[in-house]
Amino acid sequence: IDDILFVHNQFNVDASKFIGKNIILAAADVQSQFQVIKSGQQFEDLVVSTVWSNDHIDFTWHNTYPEVRNRNDIYGEVDFYRDSTQIHLSRSQIDILDEVWTIKDNNLITLKNQEVKIDNLNIGSDNQMITANGIIGRQENDLLAVTVNSFDLSLLNPLLPENLSGSVSGEFALTNLYS
């Protein structure tokens, strides 16, 4: 990864193949005390853990971004099928500027060819909610519906050159995202 500097790292990988069977079991842990990306943003305490059993991976992702008081604790699983890959995010927590956001459990992201299908991806904090459903693809009728309720625009300020205030609610239909 050319655009990220990792400092004070630890990597652990364990793998097993059962004799005479098509069964693979592997576990990997990556820990990094400090990370700097090309733009200069600094992250801390990266911990990624995976357990891989044949066509299934369970994962956890933890890191902090102390400059803006952010923290991620994301849990999920990945299933590999012959024609697609499915990602399910378990109930997880993301802290953004000291606000706790929760990823709801009943979601599914399916990757198939050049299509991303999103089912019930929902993240919320108190009365704020963002939900996505639909397809990001190359077909003319592919549509991703995003619903936003009472989103505090100031949460975007660390990412933007100008400060925003207020809140936004609405429904958006996103199409032709590959164009």
Side-chain angles (χ1 to χ4, degrees), residues 5 29 44 53 145 155 161 172:
L5 170 66
D29 295 306
E44 293 179 1
S53 178
L155 291 172
F172 305 91

Side-chain angles (χ1 to χ4, degrees), residues 38-53:
K38 194 173 189 175
S39 66
Q41 291 177 317
Q42 299 177 3
F43 298 88
E44 293 179 1
D45 303 324
L46 173 67
V47 178
V48 178
S49 297
T50 61
V51 176
W52 178 17
S53 178

Side-chain angles (χ1 to χ4, degrees), residues 8-156:
H8 299 290
N9 309 305
Q10 180 177 347
F11 300 94
N12 297 312
V13 177
D14 296 308
S16 300
K17 178 165 183 340
F18 294 90
I19 298 173
K21 297 182 180 181
N22 290 331
I23 298 174
I24 297 171
L25 181 61
D29 295 306
V30 175
Q31 297 179 15
S32 175
Q33 184 179 7
F34 189 73
Q35 310 83 51
V36 181
I37 61 176
K38 194 173 189 175
S39 66
Q41 291 177 317
Q42 299 177 3
F43 298 88
E44 293 179 1
D45 303 324
L46 173 67
V47 178
V48 178
S49 297
T50 61
V51 176
W52 178 17
S53 178
N54 292 325
D55 56 3
H56 180 86
I57 296 175
D58 289 310
F59 69 87
T60 63
W61 175 289
H62 169 83
N63 74 301
T64 59
Y65 183 14
E67 183 178 321
V68 291
R69 303 178 316 278
N70 292 358
R71 185 187 72 175
N72 299 311
D73 284 311
I74 300 173
Y75 306 91
E77 53 191 289
V78 180
D79 288 298
F80 300 98
Y81 299 100
R82 192 171 294 252
D83 66 339
S84 63
T85 300
Q86 292 187 332
I87 303 166
H88 168 254
L89 298 174
S90 301
R91 186 175 178 91
S92 300
Q93 182 174 309
I94 300 172
D95 295 359
I96 303 172
L97 298 175
D98 295 328
E99 286 190 28
V100 176
W101 287 76
T102 301
I103 298 173
K104 305 295 183 199
D105 190 43
N106 58 338
N107 62 74
L108 187 65
I109 302 167
T110 304
L111 310 173
K112 184 174 183 179
N113 299 323
Q114 294 182 342
E115 178 182 285
V116 178
K117 182 178 180 189
I118 299 173
D119 291 309
N120 204 37
L121 183 57
N122 186 317
I123 182 170
S125 174
D126 294 328
N127 66 332
Q128 300 179 81
M129 186 74 63
I130 301 171
T131 303
N133 284 290
I135 297 174
I136 300 169
R138 296 195 180 278
Q139 301 301 316
E140 191 172 303
N141 59 343
D142 290 341
L143 179 136
L144 180 65
V146 177
T147 302
V148 178
N149 292 319
S150 303
F151 180 73
D152 179 1
L153 293 171
S154 69
L155 291 172
L156 299 174

